[in-house]
Amino acid sequence: VGGQVSLRCSFASAVPVSESLTVDWSYRPLGGGPMETIFHYQSVAYPTTVGKFKDRISWIGNVAQGDASIAIHSLVMSDNGTFICSVKNPPDV
């Protein structure tokens, strides 16, 4: 609580990383409920501008090295849940 956590996500692609590559991070609360997108990356980082993670997510990845990681700051107990990283590098998905 109050600290920071790094959520690691690594990927490999059969094709070279391009500007079409996208990274999406989704979150579902521990108690259930709908998934929500909390972070998007395509050439630049687009942290969420609404919801509980607003202004608390930083991009720490490097897609050229197969890293799509993020950091979440100022943690609270209710942040507990399932985080899913999805990377697409067309035509490789």
Side-chain angles (χ1 to χ4, degrees):
V1 173
Q4 173 180 315
V5 66
S6 297
L7 299 181
R8 299 289 176 197
C9 176
S10 59
F11 67 93
S13 181
V15 298
V17 170
S18 72
E19 290 191 7
S20 298
L21 179 136
T22 60
V23 176
D24 287 296
W25 277 90
S26 300
Y27 165 78
R28 183 190 328 258
L30 188 62
M35 293 292 289
E36 63 177 288
T37 298
I38 60 169
F39 184 88
H40 177 76
Y41 175 93
Q42 185 170 2
S43 298
V44 296
Y46 297 95
T48 187
T49 57
V50 297
K52 67 184 294 170
F53 294 104
K54 179 183 180 196
D55 299 327
R56 297 199 297 135
I57 298 179
S58 300
W59 173 250
I60 58 172
N62 182 337
V63 293
Q65 296 179 356
D67 183 359
S69 303
I70 59 172
I72 302 177
H73 315 274
S74 305
L75 292 168
V76 295
M77 284 299 292
S78 63
D79 291 339
N80 202 359
T82 302
F83 294 84
I84 297 173
C85 171
S86 174
V87 179
K88 296 176 184 160
N89 186 35
D92 198 3
V93 179

